[in-house]
Every structure is written in C-alpha cells, then in structure tokens.
Amino acid sequence: MRYYLIAGEASGDLHGSMLIRGIRQQDPNAEFRFWGGDLMAEEAGIPVRHYRELAFMGFIEVLLNIFKVLGNIRFCKKDVAQWNPDVVILIDYPGFNFRIAEFAHNKGFKVFYYIAPKVWAWKEGRVKRIQRNVDKLFVIFPFEIDYFKRFQIDAYYTGNPLIDSVAKKIDALPTLEEFKAEHGLDERPILTLLSGSRRQEIAKCLPTMAKLAERFPDFQVVVAGAPSLTISDYNETVGALPVKIIFGKTYELLAFAKAAAVVSGTATLEAALIGTPQVVCYQASPISYYIAKRFIKVRYISLVNLIMDKPVVKELIQHDFTIDKIAQELNELLYDSPARSAMLHEYQLLRTMLGEPGVAYRVGEQMVTELKQLKA
C-alpha cells in the first residue's frame, strides 16, 4: 500500500522514521512519500520537503512567513492528489496538518493522525476537526485516551515512541572516554544545553543558557546542535563564551551529562527517559507569550510534568528565565543532593507509565490492520 507521511519538525522526523520501520515490518511492499527530515530520509529516500523549510515558531514568526506557509500548503495538496496514496498519515504539526487533513478527507483519502495535536492544552475547538476529518487517531500519552473519549473519539495508544528511540541509542553508546576523545572534550564533567531545534528558539534562549559556562567553570558546557541548523547559527549566538557545539549526538550528550538545561519540547521527555536531571527553560517574543498565556489551559509546559501531573522538573518561563535562576537550579542537580535523587526517582515512575519498547512495531501493526479494514 502507499503511505503519504507529513512531519514538520525534528521530533516528527524522529517519530516518522520509526513509524516507517514499523509499517514496513507489517507491509514489506509499502511505498512511502513524505515531508520530513534526515531520519525519515534514511528510511524512505528523499523528502518532498525538508522540515527546515516548514519550521516557524510562534504567532509573529508564522505571520511574517505566511506566504511561504500558504505556498507549501497548496503544493502539498497538489502533491497528495497526484500521488494518490492509500492513506495520509499526519504527524503532529497541527497548523499545517489540519489543513491537509480536511483536504485529504474531502478528496476521499483515508486520514490517520499520529501524535495527536495537544488540544488538551489549548485550542480545544480543534477536536471538531479531528472528529470531522480524521479516520483514526493514534496518541502517545496514556492520559489522552480518556481525554478523547469525552468527545466520542477512540484513540489508539501503544506506548510512547521515545521509548524505542532511547532504548536503541542507549544500547549503542560508546564509553564516556571514547566520546570525549572523539569530540575533543576535556576531563571535566559535562553540562549539556538543549536550546531547541528552530532558529527562533536558539536566538531567544541560547544567549542566556550559554552564560552557564561562566557560572560553572568546573564543567564543560556543550550544546547539542539541532540537525536543521549550522555551526554559524550557534557561533553568532554564543559569541566568545567557552561553549562547545556538537551535532548529531543529542542522546549521547544527555546520557553523559551530569545535568542539562533544556528548552521545553520533546527534549524534556528524552532527558527524563535517559535519566538526566534537568531544568526546563523557555522564552518567546513578548507578543507570542502574551497570546499563548491567554489561551493555554495546562499548568505545565514540559512533557515530564504534564504526564506526571506534578512539578517533577523546574520550569523557568519568560520572566523567570534568567541566568541566576537557571544556575540556582543546576546547583542542586549537578551534585549529589536530595533534589537530584527525588527527580531520578520520579523518572523511574515515568518510564513505567510510558510502556515497554516495541512501540513503533505496535503502532505500525495497528495502522496497517486499521487501513486494511477501512479499505475492505
């Protein structure tokens, strides 16, 4: 069968790559066409569009690039119609994918949504678009099952796909000594910075986070470079601060770090599953933050706290996002302390909640089964 997948961000590229493997295990003759990134490309060839062409963050940033966004939507609709897939699989990225869902549904294509839009956090009215245009919904957090039942939507949950990616990476880790030698790191322990995957996030958050190199001279501060960016994007931001940037080694940097400062997003959950104590950071433009604050309904921004429904990790948002407050939190987490031990204990409970490895296989099996039934 023919599968058309659309992922618009780095996390979607990761989940999409694992999903392609899972589908192919169930449907060896599967054909794929996709919007995504380098990880999906490793599984299914050249993307129609790379997510770096799509990743705009915040209300103002989207508005400034609106003509490019609309042009991509028009092209995607045309491409879907011409390729004529058996199913369109949308991966998160709701602003773009909801428009494609409506188009695909109206044209008679089956529509699966993988990684449900976070309508439980804000824009709950979007649930109606899921009811109207999505044939099957596949979620990655256990609490979403009961949430969507309130709207008569049967959501499928087979575990969180990060369980698979983390397990695979951890099994293939080099030793700490090998890693340091390969990347020119010294003997000091590592403090890792995950400053986001978009240029806007880097520009807003990294200048403050990079100052940790001055606050913690006994640690080497290393930034996990996002695959969609270049070394110049980071050098312009960190300036002369003694910070090293390493690309393509996010899981290794988390696994070997004593602690991490992490911009809110999928990376907060990755750090927790790997077992890295963290402080969560976030800063947006004042207008984007003001608008979001008026509409977001949840108490937390990090996935760790949302899933556990309590403040497991400290969140420093907007005005609280200062070098003094970040350093204060890391002073507790970089060394043996009750705060560090408590966080690691909560991480163990979180892993239990999210299920066993094999998620990509299970969700791929479920998608192929459901598609066969829908087309019967």
Side-chain angles (χ1 to χ4, degrees):
M1 290 185 286
R2 293 158 67 88
Y3 303 82
Y4 197 111
L5 289 76
I6 303 173
E9 299 172 297
S11 60
D13 179 42
L14 171 64
H15 297 317
S17 67
M18 293 187 293
L19 178 59
I20 288 171
R21 286 200 297 271
I23 291 174
R24 190 172 275 129
Q25 285 180 305
Q26 299 301 315
D27 182 3
N29 297 318
E31 297 179 54
F32 296 97
R33 188 167 175 83
F34 68 97
W35 296 46
D38 297 341
L39 297 177
M40 294 174 74
E42 290 176 6
E43 301 294 332
I46 300 172
V48 178
R49 286 279 193 278
H50 198 286
Y51 69 75
R52 71 170 65 96
E53 301 177 50
L54 312 173
F56 302 109
M57 179 191 70
F59 304 96
I60 301 304
E61 291 80 7
V62 171
L63 185 61
L64 292 173
N65 291 277
I66 190 63
F67 293 111
K68 187 172 184 178
V69 172
L70 294 176
N72 280 327
I73 291 172
R74 286 193 298 270
F75 176 80
C76 185
K77 291 176 179 179
K78 181 179 178 181
D79 196 58
V80 169
Q82 289 179 343
W83 201 64
N84 193 32
D86 291 286
V87 62
V88 177
I89 301 176
L90 309 172
I91 304 173
D92 201 0
Y93 199 52
F96 188 95
N97 276 337
F98 270 133
R99 291 172 178 251
I100 304 304
E102 182 176 10
F103 167 81
H105 173 77
N106 290 339
K107 290 294 184 180
F109 296 110
K110 301 302 178 186
V111 178
F112 290 176
Y113 214 122
Y114 181 46
I115 307 179
K118 297 175 181 62
V119 290
W120 35 264
W122 75 316
K123 293 188 177 181
E124 190 171 74
R126 285 176 161 182
V127 171
K128 294 179 181 178
R129 302 174 78 172
I130 296 174
Q131 293 171 320
R132 185 168 59 245
N133 299 318
V134 175
D135 294 289
K136 298 294 177 181
L137 182 65
F138 300 83
V139 299
I140 63 170
F141 301 120
F143 65 83
E144 292 179 309
I145 298 174
D146 290 336
Y147 174 83
F148 283 108
K149 278 184 179 178
R150 292 168 42 198
F151 302 96
Q152 292 75 53
I153 297 174
D154 291 325
Y156 296 93
Y157 175 74
T158 61
N160 191 290
L162 285 180
I163 295 289
D164 287 347
S165 59
V166 168
K168 180 180 177 181
K169 281 287 188 178
I170 293 301
D171 288 344
L173 283 179
T175 65
L176 175 59
E177 291 73 21
E178 290 170 340
F179 181 77
K180 285 185 173 182
E182 178 184 357
H183 297 285
L185 300 177
D186 58 41
E187 293 303 311
R188 292 175 296 167
I190 296 170
L191 169 56
T192 293
L193 308 183
L194 272 67
S195 51
S197 61
R198 305 180 181 94
R199 285 185 179 85
Q200 296 98 323
E201 290 174 323
I202 304 298
K204 286 288 183 184
C205 300
L206 187 54
T208 299
M209 297 167 74
K211 293 177 183 176
L212 290 168
E214 298 175 326
R215 296 296 184 97
F216 296 97
D218 293 336
F219 292 80
Q220 51 193 329
V221 175
V222 186
V223 177
S228 60
L229 303 178
T230 66
I231 190 68
S232 62
D233 292 318
Y234 290 95
N235 287 339
E236 292 172 3
T237 306
V238 301
L241 289 168
V243 173
K244 191 173 183 67
I245 297 96
I246 298 178
F247 288 88
K249 301 294 180 182
T250 298
Y251 283 9
E252 290 87 343
L253 285 170
L254 285 173
F256 294 135
K258 290 291 290 184
V262 183
V263 167
S264 180
T266 304
T268 63
L269 185 54
E270 291 173 318
L273 293 175
I274 290 171
T276 311
Q278 64 182 300
V279 55
V280 175
C281 308
Y282 194 76
Q283 188 172 57
S285 67
I287 295 176
S288 293
Y289 177 72
Y290 173 77
I291 295 172
K293 190 173 177 62
R294 287 178 58 88
F295 292 101
I296 290 178
K297 301 181 298 180
V298 293
R299 291 185 292 169
Y300 309 110
I301 65 166
S302 69
L303 290 174
V304 176
N305 292 348
L306 282 167
I307 295 168
M308 298 297 287
D309 196 27
K310 59 183 176 181
V312 173
V313 298
K314 184 70 173 181
E315 298 179 354
L316 299 176
I317 307 168
Q318 209 68 5
H319 302 300
D320 287 328
F321 176 63
T322 67
I323 184 61
D324 288 338
K325 290 188 176 182
I326 300 171
Q328 180 182 346
E329 292 300 320
L330 287 174
N331 265 323
E332 293 288 323
L333 300 177
L334 285 167
Y335 310 97
D336 291 335
S337 67
R340 180 183 176 94
S341 298
M343 187 177 293
L344 294 177
H345 174 70
E346 294 293 340
Y347 283 177
Q348 292 178 343
L349 300 178
L350 174 68
R351 293 188 199 99
T352 301
M353 291 179 63
L354 292 182
E356 297 296 323
V359 177
Y361 176 86
R362 293 192 295 270
V363 74
E365 179 180 41
Q366 189 69 53
M367 282 191 176
V368 173
T369 299
E370 293 294 331
L371 182 57
K372 288 178 178 178
Q373 292 177 354
L374 287 172
K375 295 182 70 67

